[in-house]
Each structure stands twice: as structure tokens, then as C-alpha cells.
């Protein structure tokens, strides 16, 4: 009988896990520098949490099931909805706002696996809850940009939009929520030909040619902050979107204070869900080709959808797997050092008990140490130490032990030195 991993999943071996842990550690450090604290939510949630957020059609993309008590559950496809549920359950009535939290974990979607897209994948993201200000939005974007830069990804482009502009136009032209939802989904797909067909084909989604022409011009506006003048002229006859445009201008000015300059204004960026109300952004790494998007985020009001009181959140989720692809594509991969600080090599059976004792002393002092457990001959021990690229090896011999010493060999220079056992920890740590 042959067992293979399920389709759309991966195994990660030692070196790849070390690289992923290194990236994870870098991200944690940046997020915590910004005052965010980590939370964890369950891998599975009630199915209705996600159908309430995204509609019944999402069920086709889920690993959903009934448990032994006939409850409808699903493996989480993303972590934004679980965070909103956690806020309602644990934080709404007690936490002081703004709340800064971050998360890292695996998600599951039943969709066709392809390059950069898997059925089990990881997200690293955050939520700023209760700071509905341009300052809060600017800081979240700065956090995202800093986190990506810290990983050595220097070509990332933050594409920004303010959905209040397009929603203001919808309001002026009395477009129903259902129609708004339909056209926002089309815009979100980023398929220009499909959008043109949807707005100006034989059977347009919106039955208003004036609005359709405005939308086609608006979503085609991409560039630096100078395009805001073009947006202003385009919406000049309509009052409803003007407040959102002013908020957008304020955000752009604030980004300079937060030292963010790797952004593009892109009026075609849209998150295709109703609860996104203000700033939205997506981050692209062009070198990744068709799977260039590594992040999506914005400002939204999701808690109210789940029955809580109105509270604005700004957040984003980084696709951790695509981040790793970008790191591999854009950075020089350095040879990883050994996973050990020292390898302990007893050269005879009689010294093994003392070798184990010394190894435990090292470990208890936060020195990454391993010891031969298979009774290898000395030559094989040296070959093994060479193979795992450990920088130091502790040679445990009877004559040295009689003097209360062991020999420590530097595997890079070839030098070796007799070291008092009582001082071995300080010696390895260089103290």
C-alpha cells in the first residue's frame, strides 16, 4: 500500500522549514515593533461564519463537514472572519480601543492547485480595530510595506484605492446593493475585457450609460498622486464621492510622514465584498507573474455583519507562501549555517556517560548541541560533523577527562583547544 500526501498540499523538509521560520521571525519582529500582539483562532469554525461573510457560493471552495453532533463546520479558508468572531466573543465589551492584533496560521480552500496556489496555505496578517482614521490606515500600510521590505523583497508595489469614491457614484445614481455587488466582483477580477463587456455590452449590468462611462474611465486611472486631479475632474459634477476623495488625499499625504513611497494609486483595485467601505490595497511583486499578488487589505466594517456593534477595522493578510516564492525569486539565498552550535563526539564507550552529561549542560545553557547516539567510530563522527556543517566539535577522550578537560575543534579553521569542562559554556558562547 502506498501513501501520498493529499493533492494541493506540501511537505516541508529541514532547510525549507528553517527558511520559513526565519521569515516568520522577521515578520513577528516587525509586527510587534508596531505594537501588535498575537492571537490564535481554531483551524475549524462554524460554516455559517463564512457564508455570512462571503455568501453561500463560497461553500464550493470549502472543506466543510458535519461533526458527530451534526454541526456544520468547515476548515477556515481565511482568518479575517475568525478574528471578527473572536472580537465579538472576547474583546468587544472589555478591550480598550484601538486593538492591535496579528495572526499567523494555515488556511484551506478546495480549489484547483497551481503554481503559487495550494489547498493548504498560510496567512500572516493583522487587524487594527477601532481606529477609523486616515492615520490608522496609513500606519497599517506602513507596517505592511516595512514587513515586506524586511524580508528583502524590494520590488513590491502597493496599489491603493478608496472605494468610497465608486460607492459615492453608486449612491448618486441610485444603484441597488445587488447590482453594486455584481459589478464590484467583476472589477475585483481585474479582467478589463470582462468589465467592458459588463458595462458597455449588449446587456450591461448597470442600465445607465453615463455612470458606465465614468466607471470605465475611473478604473483605468493608475499612477502617482498627480492622477488625483484627473479623478477630481471626473467626479466634479457629483457630490457623493467627494468626501472619499478628500480622505484619499489625506491618506496619501500621511504616507509621506510614515516614509512609505512604494505605492501606486490604482482606481481599479476593488475588494469584491460589501463590507469593504474605505481604503483598499493590494501588493504586487511583478517577478511572480500571474500569481504576483502577495497581499490584500483595506478598511471594512465586518463585525456588524455578525451582529456586533459598528466598529471599523483596517487590516491585511499576507500570502506567506507567495512571500517565500518572492524571497526565492528576488534575494540571494545564503547558505544556511548548521542547525547546531556544537557536536559532541565521544571517542570510546567508556566516556559516553560523561559525553551525555556535557551535552545536557550545553543544552540547558541555550547552546544547540547534539551527541553521537549510535556508537560511531571517530572517523565517521568527523565525517558526520563535516556533513552537517557544524562549526565546532567537542571531542571527549579519556585522557582529557582525567584532567577535567575536553578538546574543542574549530571545523572551519582546523584549530583545536583543550577547554576546562567547568568553562565549556562560557567558551562556546565566547564570553
Amino acid at each position: 500500500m502506498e501513501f501520498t500526501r493529499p493533492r494541493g498540499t506540501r511537505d516541508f523538509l529541514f532547510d525549507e522549514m528553517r527558511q520559513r521560520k526565519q521569515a516568520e521571525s522577521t515578520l513577528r519582529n516587525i509586527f510587534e515593533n508596531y505594537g501588535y500582539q498575537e492571537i490564535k483562532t481554531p483551524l475549524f469554525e462554524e460554516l455559517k461564519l463564512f457564508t455570512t461573510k462571503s455568501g453561500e457560493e463560497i461553500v464550493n471552495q470549502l472543506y466543510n463537514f458535519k461533526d458527530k453532533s451534526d454541526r456544520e463546520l468547515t476548515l477556515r479558508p481565511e482568518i479575517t472572519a475568525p478574528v471578527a468572531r473572536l472580537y465579538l466573543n472576547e474583546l468587544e465589551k472589555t478591550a480598550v480601543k484601538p486593538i492591535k492584533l496579528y495572526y499567523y496560521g494555515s488556511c484551506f480552500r478546495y480549489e484547483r492547485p497551481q503554481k503559487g496556489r495550494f489547498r493548504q496555505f498560510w496567512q500572516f496578517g493583522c487587524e487594527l480595530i477601532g481606529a477609523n482614521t486616515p492615520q490608522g490606515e496609513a500606519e497599517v500600510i506602513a507596517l505592511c510595506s516595512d514587513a515586506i521590505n524586511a524580508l528583502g523583497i524590494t520590488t513590491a508595489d502597493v496599489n491603493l484605492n478608496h472605494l468610497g469614491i465608486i460607492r459615492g457614484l453608486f449612491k448618486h445614481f441610485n444603484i441597488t446593493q445587488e447590482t453594486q455587488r455584481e459589478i464590484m466582483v467583476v472589477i475585483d477580477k481585474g479582467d478589463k475585457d470582462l468589465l467592458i463587456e459588463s458595462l458597455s455590452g449588449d446587456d450591461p449590468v448597470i442600465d445607465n450609460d453615463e455612470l458606465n462611462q465614468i466607471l470605465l474611465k475611473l478604473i483605468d486611472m493608475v499612477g502617482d498622486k498627480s492622477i488625483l486631479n484627473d479623478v477630481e475632474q471626473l467626479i466634479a459634477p457629483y457630490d457623493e464621492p467627494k468626501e472619499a476623495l478628500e480622505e484619499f488625499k489625506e491618506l496619501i499625504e500621511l504616507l509621506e510622514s510614515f516614509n512609505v513611497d512604494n505605492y501606486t494609486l490604482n482606481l481599479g483595485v476593488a475588494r469584491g465584498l460589501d463590507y469593504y467601505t474605505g481604503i483598499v490595497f493590494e501588493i504586487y511583486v511583478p517577478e511572480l507573474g500571474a500569481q504576483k499578488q502577495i497581499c490584500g487589505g483595506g478598511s471594512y466594517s465586518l463585525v456588524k455583519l455578525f451582529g456586533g456593534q459598528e466598529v471599523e477595522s483596517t487590516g491585511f493578510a499576507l500570502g506567506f507562501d507567495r512571500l517565500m516564492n518572492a524571497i526565492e525569486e528576488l534575494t540571494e539565498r545564503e547558505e544556511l549555517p548548521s542547525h547546531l552550535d556544537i557536536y559532541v563526539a565521544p571517542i570510546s564507550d567508556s566516556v559516553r556517560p560523561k559525553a551525555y552529561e556535557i551535552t545536557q549542560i550545553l543544552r540547558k545553557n541555550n547552546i544547540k548541541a547534539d551527541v553521537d547516539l549510535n556508537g560511531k567510530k571517530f572517523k565517521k563522527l568527523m565525517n558526520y560533523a563535516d556533513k552537517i556543517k557544524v562549526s565546532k566539535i567537542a571531542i571527549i577522550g579519556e585522557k582529557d577527562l582525567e584532567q577535567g578537560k575536553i578538546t574543542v575543534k574549530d571545523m572551519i579553521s582546523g584549530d583545536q583547544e583543550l577547554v576546562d569542562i567547568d568553562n565549556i559554556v562560557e567558551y562556546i558562547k565566547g564570553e
Side-chain angles (χ1 to χ4, degrees), residues 30 137 182 185 193 239 253-254 338:
I30 297 294
E137 292 172 331
E182 188 175 351
V185 168
D193 292 334
D239 290 333
E253 294 302 319
L254 284 165
S338 175

Side-chain angles (χ1 to χ4, degrees), residues 416-430:
Q416 57 186 50
E417 187 174 347
L418 274 174
V419 179
D420 289 336
I421 294 174
D422 291 342
N423 295 327
I424 186 63
V425 170
E426 291 78 7
Y427 180 83
I428 299 303
K429 288 186 173 183

Side-chain angles (χ1 to χ4, degrees), residues 73-199:
L73 303 173
T74 185
L75 298 180
R76 64 188 184 196
E78 44 88 7
I79 307 181
T80 305
V83 168
R85 192 265 312 143
L86 176 147
Y87 168 79
L88 276 169
N89 292 166
E90 311 291 347
L91 300 172
E92 184 178 37
K93 295 179 180 178
T94 58
V96 178
K97 296 182 183 65
I99 303 166
K100 289 183 168 184
L101 58 87
Y102 78 91
Y103 55 82
Y104 173 63
S106 56
C107 304
F108 305 83
R109 282 186 184 261
Y110 189 83
E111 53 189 2
R112 185 171 65 87
Q114 53 187 292
K115 184 178 180 181
R117 189 183 292 271
F118 300 93
R119 289 178 171 174
Q120 182 183 11
F121 55 95
W122 278 259
Q123 286 188 346
F124 207 120
C126 72
E127 301 282 344
L128 174 62
I129 301 173
N132 182 27
T133 63
Q135 296 95 309
E137 292 172 331
E139 188 187 78
V140 167
I141 294 167
L143 164 59
C144 191
S145 179
D146 282 355
I148 293 168
N149 283 331
L151 295 172
I153 303 170
T154 58
T155 61
D157 183 19
V158 182
N159 280 241
L160 289 166
N161 190 15
H162 193 308
L163 290 186
I165 297 170
I166 194 169
R167 294 202 186 279
L169 289 168
F170 287 150
K171 183 177 180 181
H172 178 85
F173 287 94
N174 296 314
I175 304 303
T176 66
Q177 284 296 120
E178 184 179 348
T179 302
Q180 287 187 39
R181 188 177 302 117
E182 188 175 351
I183 199 64
M184 292 298 279
V185 168
V186 175
I187 295 172
D188 188 37
K189 289 180 178 178
D191 187 330
K192 187 70 179 295
D193 292 334
L194 177 61
L195 182 63
I196 292 171
E197 177 64 27
S198 300
L199 292 176

